Amino acid sequence: QGAPYRPPVVPAVQPGHAIGPAVPGYMKTEAGVCTMSSFESMSATLAPGDWSMHAPPMHQRNYPCDPIIYSYFGSDHNLDEVGEAPFKRHLYLCMLGQALQLKATVESWRSQNPWAILLWQFNDIWPTGGWGLVEYGTPVPGQVLGGRWKPVMHFLQRSSYADVAAVCGTARLGFDD
């Protein structure tokens, strides 16, 4: 199984580091986390016997789902399981891990007062693993038409992209510092 996925360390805002509206900004670009599409998109392109993270067709599609799931949700998940219920669960956990990682990244960046943040990429180009925030959709029976937001977009819209967001650093400053 290899070493568990280790999300990048989020840099802290250090004392003496100028931040705020008076400080010239900059743009952060091309942040992203690979994840899978939903069961509704994936199942239409796979035979039911291949509804597993480790099925042969997934060998070319399973970017980093194993380490994301193990890192965020523990290593007690059997990603070899085949079937609708385990495949749905594993796909959702992978998408939720993407959401948690990007939320942490965006909130860390917002604490540094950037002008803009560009996430890579907006939409998946087919129902598989990818960087997309919106999953792929085609007129295939059983597949989501036109795509839909992955869980990451709901997280970002409600918190990280809010007009006002409270973010914390790791400097452990107290009131008497």
Side-chain angles (χ1 to χ4, degrees):
Q1 292 181 12
Y5 174 73
R6 299 277 186 237
V9 175
V10 178
V13 175
Q14 299 296 320
H17 179 73
I19 61 171
V23 177
Y26 48 88
M27 181 174 180
K28 292 282 195 173
T29 63
E30 297 190 26
V33 177
C34 284
T35 188
M36 302 306 276
S37 294
S38 70
F39 177 79
E40 290 77 13
S41 286
M42 297 292 290
S43 63
T45 64
L46 296 168
D50 291 327
W51 290 350
S52 170
M53 296 302 275
H54 293 165
M58 296 297 285
H59 293 170
Q60 297 300 319
R61 298 181 178 197
N62 188 7
Y63 286 89
C65 279
D66 296 16
I68 286 174
I69 291 171
Y70 293 149
S71 165
Y72 282 101
F73 308 106
S75 60
D76 59 339
H77 295 276
N78 178 3
L79 301 180
D80 292 325
E81 286 181 288
V82 177
E84 183 174 341
F87 196 41
K88 281 182 177 180
R89 182 174 58 253
H90 298 148
L91 291 172
Y92 184 75
L93 288 176
C94 189
M95 290 189 294
L96 190 56
Q98 178 200 36
L100 292 169
Q101 182 59 47
L102 279 177
K103 182 178 186 299
T105 299
V106 168
E107 289 176 356
S108 169
W109 285 353
R110 283 196 71 184
S111 74
Q112 300 169 27
N113 194 36
W115 284 336
I117 296 171
L118 175 66
L119 296 180
W120 182 260
Q121 72 192 44
F122 182 70
N123 61 314
D124 284 337
I125 59 170
W126 61 307
T128 186
W131 296 83
L133 306 176
V134 175
E135 64 185 29
Y136 182 80
T138 61
V140 175
Q143 195 168 6
V144 178
L145 263 185
R148 65 177 175 181
W149 285 8
K150 291 182 180 177
V152 66
M153 291 299 288
H154 297 283
F155 267 64
L156 295 176
Q157 179 201 22
R158 291 186 178 160
S159 60
S160 305
Y161 286 162
D163 291 337
V164 176
V167 294
C168 299
T170 58
R172 303 184 63 117
L173 298 175
F175 288 110
D176 52 345
D177 286 337

